[in-house]
Amino acid sequence: MICRRICRRNPWSFSHWWRSVYPATTPPSAAAWADARRASSGLGFLARAQPNIFVNRRTFSLFQSHHEGDSLSIQFGTRGCNFTTHALGDSPIGGVVDVPLAQTGEGIAECELLKWFVQEGDQVEEFQPLCEVQSDKATIEITSRYRGKVSKVLHIPGDIVKVGETLLKMVVDENAVSDQCSETLEVIKVHDSNTSEVDVTDSGPKKAKIGGALSTPAVRNFAKQLGVNIEDLHGSGKEGRVLKEDVLNYAAREGILKESSVSSDDSSADEYLERDQKLTEVASTYGREYDDRTVPLRGFQRAMVKSMTLAAKIPHFHYVDEINCDALVQLKASFQDENSDPGVKHTFLPVLIKSLSMALSKYPLLNSCFNEELQEVTLKGPHNIGIAMATPHGLVVPNIKKVQCLSILEITKELSRLQQLASANKLSSDDITGGTITLSNIGAIGGKFGSPLINVPEVSIIAIGRIQKIPQFDEDGNVYPASIVTVNIGADHRVLDGATVAMFCNEWKLFIEKPELLMLHMK
């Protein structure tokens, strides 16, 4: 805290600083300042939660301390990252509070709301999951920092929510807050710049009036797709809650839907609400299945748009080669025959990943990243090999960390873990970030080879095709069957040249075609 550091160094400097920031006030005495610091520690605003306190334009009235007739009222701002709610300095004393989307990761400006775990009227405990959101990098659960009751849900699944934008409003349990602040209630007055002053010492806080129509996120989504403003409806449910029937009836009265559609498609609407489908299902329900559809890009698809737009600016070149996988096929069969763990399934990919890491040790330039602004290449120490995975939620590239330190069995288990999380859309930010080179196994789906685009800021990417049995000629001209796979290495020509990539590929090819060399050099 700036003012505390100044106060410790030089009292005159603190007084000078105070007058420069608050010219219309008198600097507090040392005793009053000490009381204020003790009060702030009691609240946990400064000492426990936010060590970085600084004065800026985002300020809030923190407390008021009384000592020997001196009155101290100071404004501070907080800086930090919390996946639960808003700035810790805005801790409420009862009433309605806004619960915004907090910063979920570096460089993340917005997230897609995937689903709600709560609905309006639900009682919420501290740290209880409120909703699930997806950024460009990972899927994250947002938990509650307060104990209280959900007053109003402001977004529906599928909405893009900006960081700092309010997700929901909550009536905070006064008793829970009172317990946390019991040590400081006698000396603290909490101020709200937008409302009148509340004296905690004299009287308890008043509950704020809860506004807006009560309804579930599914009903709000349904109303939004029909073009109905849910705030115009009078709910027939408990405590005035707006139900699906209220939306349909209102839409019929306003001519949005025909009466026949309301009665005939009622069961379809029920099914829609249960699944919480998007606009395409609504259109199909009401007989517009052949209309043009606009599908917004969400989650990993939005991330792919950004990364591929950057990749299109890179001068690529591609190097294609064929690798004989006869020995690899035999090695995989041997692993599977000796497998005693039913939870482990051996495939070709872990051996390819490990042999790739061995080749990168000799040609580290392919395991690097390029900074265009500084014109610098950083040779990465760990081999964090990314594996492109096609999921129901889009293309995602988690990476296996420090492959050079892992055995083939450990790589197999880590690959299985990442595949399961990717299918469930549960990958963490750490799983997705930090990759140094990417491997795209298109052969698992089909195709001989592809021309991959670099995953910025990496400088190389490899696409592996399907292993096929094709005829080959030996030195004597005899034909024999061989298991051949085609690999295509995409490289950033600003960093890599063809000769380097060719020599790297030859090294990798040697380890795959002769696994005994892989075992010999493996650490």
Side-chain angles (χ1 to χ4, degrees):
M1 191 163 61
I2 294 175
C3 45
R4 184 161 62 186
R5 295 193 189 110
I6 296 175
C7 184
R8 286 177 176 174
R9 293 174 183 173
N10 190 330
W12 180 89
S13 298
F14 169 71
S15 177
H16 179 75
W17 170 84
W18 182 276
R19 288 191 176 92
S20 66
V21 178
Y22 305 103
T25 62
T26 302
S29 64
W33 180 246
D35 280 352
R37 286 176 54 192
R38 282 194 295 271
S40 67
S41 298
L43 284 175
F45 293 159
L46 304 180
R48 293 191 298 273
Q50 296 287 348
N52 294 325
I53 307 296
F54 62 102
V55 177
N56 73 345
R57 64 179 181 275
R58 293 181 57 208
T59 60
F60 60 92
S61 186
L62 180 61
F63 52 78
Q64 188 173 51
S65 173
H66 298 276
H67 188 276
E68 297 179 356
D70 293 331
S71 180
L72 178 62
S73 181
I74 312 170
Q75 290 186 325
F76 296 96
T78 61
R79 174 171 55 194
C81 175
N82 193 306
F83 284 0
T84 57
T85 56
H86 49 292
L88 295 178
D90 292 332
S91 183
I93 305 295
V96 178
V97 296
D98 293 339
V99 180
L101 174 64
Q103 181 62 259
T104 58
E106 183 179 357
I108 301 300
E110 61 186 19
C111 293
E112 178 190 358
L113 177 62
L114 296 181
K115 61 181 177 181
W116 285 104
F117 299 120
V118 297
Q119 59 184 11
E120 293 177 1
D122 285 357
Q123 193 69 29
V124 176
E125 295 298 325
E126 192 175 6
F127 305 119
Q128 177 180 334
L130 298 174
C131 63
E132 186 176 68
V133 299
Q134 184 179 47
S135 68
D136 293 347
K137 298 180 178 179
T139 302
I140 304 163
E141 285 187 358
I142 304 297
T143 59
S144 175
R145 204 185 139 245
Y146 307 115
R147 185 172 67 194
K149 184 178 181 181
V150 178
S151 166
K152 187 175 182 180
V153 175
L154 301 180
H155 295 278
I156 60 176
D159 283 356
I160 300 297
V161 185
K162 301 289 185 182
V163 170
E165 190 175 348
T166 302
L167 288 167
L168 57 81
K169 294 180 180 292
M170 182 183 295
V171 181
V172 176
D173 189 341
E174 301 173 17
N175 296 328
V177 180
S178 298
D179 292 341
Q180 298 174 5
C181 304
S182 58
E183 298 179 1
T184 58
L185 288 181
E186 295 181 0
V187 295
I188 299 174
K189 289 184 179 180
V190 179
H191 295 267
D192 188 332
S193 60
N194 298 324
T195 59
S196 59
E197 181 176 294
V198 179
D199 192 338
V200 182
T201 308
D202 297 335
S203 62
K206 296 180 180 180
K207 292 185 178 180
K209 181 180 179 180
I210 305 172
L214 290 176
S215 63
T216 65
V219 172
R220 288 184 178 276
N221 191 17
F222 184 60
K224 181 179 179 180
Q225 307 304 339
L226 296 181
V228 174
N229 184 359
I230 202 168
E231 303 296 338
D232 297 337
L233 276 63
H234 297 286
S236 59
K238 184 179 179 181
E239 298 180 353
R241 186 181 299 274
V242 177
L243 305 178
K244 175 259 305 179
E245 290 81 2
D246 300 325
V247 177
L248 290 173
N249 292 333
Y250 179 87
R253 287 196 306 270
E254 297 297 323
I256 300 174
L257 295 177
K258 296 180 180 179
E259 290 290 349
S260 58
S261 297
V262 175
S263 58
S264 63
D265 294 325
D266 188 64
S267 60
S268 298
D270 283 331
E271 183 180 358
Y272 160 76
L273 288 174
E274 291 173 1
R275 296 189 307 243
D276 195 19
Q277 293 289 353
K278 295 183 180 180
L279 180 59
T280 54
E281 280 77 8
V282 177
S284 176
T285 300
Y286 292 100
R288 300 193 300 271
E289 56 185 333
Y290 299 110
D291 291 349
D292 292 342
R293 297 176 299 174
T294 299
V295 181
L297 298 181
R298 297 287 188 260
F300 296 137
Q301 291 178 319
R302 290 168 63 89
M304 184 171 66
V305 171
K306 295 178 181 179
S307 61
M308 291 300 99
T309 301
L310 293 174
K313 302 176 182 179
I314 296 176
H316 284 67
F317 78 91
H318 291 87
Y319 179 86
V320 182
D321 199 358
E322 292 182 343
I323 300 177
N324 189 315
C325 296
D326 284 342
L328 180 61
V329 172
Q330 294 178 5
L331 186 64
K332 177 222 170 184
S334 176
F335 285 165
Q336 197 61 40
D337 291 340
E338 300 297 328
N339 183 21
S340 59
D341 188 349
V344 175
K345 181 181 178 181
H346 292 284
T347 63
F348 301 115
L349 195 54
V351 181
L352 294 173
I353 293 172
K354 184 61 181 180
S355 57
L356 175 63
S357 175
M358 299 290 290
L360 288 175
S361 298
K362 187 171 182 179
Y363 297 95
L365 196 57
L366 279 87
N367 192 64
S368 64
C369 65
F370 177 60
N371 188 317
E372 183 176 6
E373 182 179 354
L374 300 177
Q375 295 290 296
E376 291 180 348
V377 177
T378 301
L379 304 181
K380 295 292 187 178
H383 298 167
N384 298 340
I385 300 179
I387 309 297
M389 298 180 182
T391 74
H393 314 283
L395 176 67
V396 61
V397 188
N399 59 83
I400 302 175
K401 311 290 186 187
K402 297 182 179 179
V403 173
Q404 70 266 45
C405 301
L406 301 179
S407 67
I408 294 176
L409 181 59
E410 289 172 329
I411 295 172
T412 301
K413 293 180 178 179
E414 177 65 5
L415 182 62
S416 176
R417 182 188 74 86
L418 293 175
Q419 288 172 336
Q420 292 175 6
L421 291 176
S423 298
N425 200 20
K426 296 293 184 182
L427 288 167
S428 68
S429 179
D430 184 62
D431 291 329
I432 298 176
T433 57
T436 57
I437 187 173
T438 299
L439 198 60
S440 178
N441 183 22
I442 61 172
I445 301 175
K448 294 182 179 180
F449 68 93
S451 299
L453 296 180
I454 292 171
N455 188 16
V456 181
E458 300 168 12
V459 298
S460 58
I461 183 172
I462 304 173
I464 305 174
R466 182 174 65 248
I467 296 179
Q468 302 178 90
K469 277 279 188 181
I470 60 176
Q472 297 283 294
F473 291 92
D474 60 17
E475 295 179 355
D476 298 327
N478 299 317
V479 178
Y480 68 95
S483 299
I484 303 296
V485 65
T486 303
V487 297
N488 190 338
I489 303 176
D492 186 342
H493 218 330
R494 298 172 299 179
V495 179
L496 298 168
D497 55 56
T500 302
V501 173
M503 289 186 291
F504 160 78
C505 189
N506 290 338
E507 185 78 7
W508 184 34
K509 180 178 180 178
L510 186 63
F511 287 130
I512 296 173
E513 293 184 340
K514 297 182 178 181
E516 61 272 16
L517 294 179
L518 176 65
M519 306 303 171
L520 184 64
H521 292 87
M522 190 181 298
K523 295 180 180 180

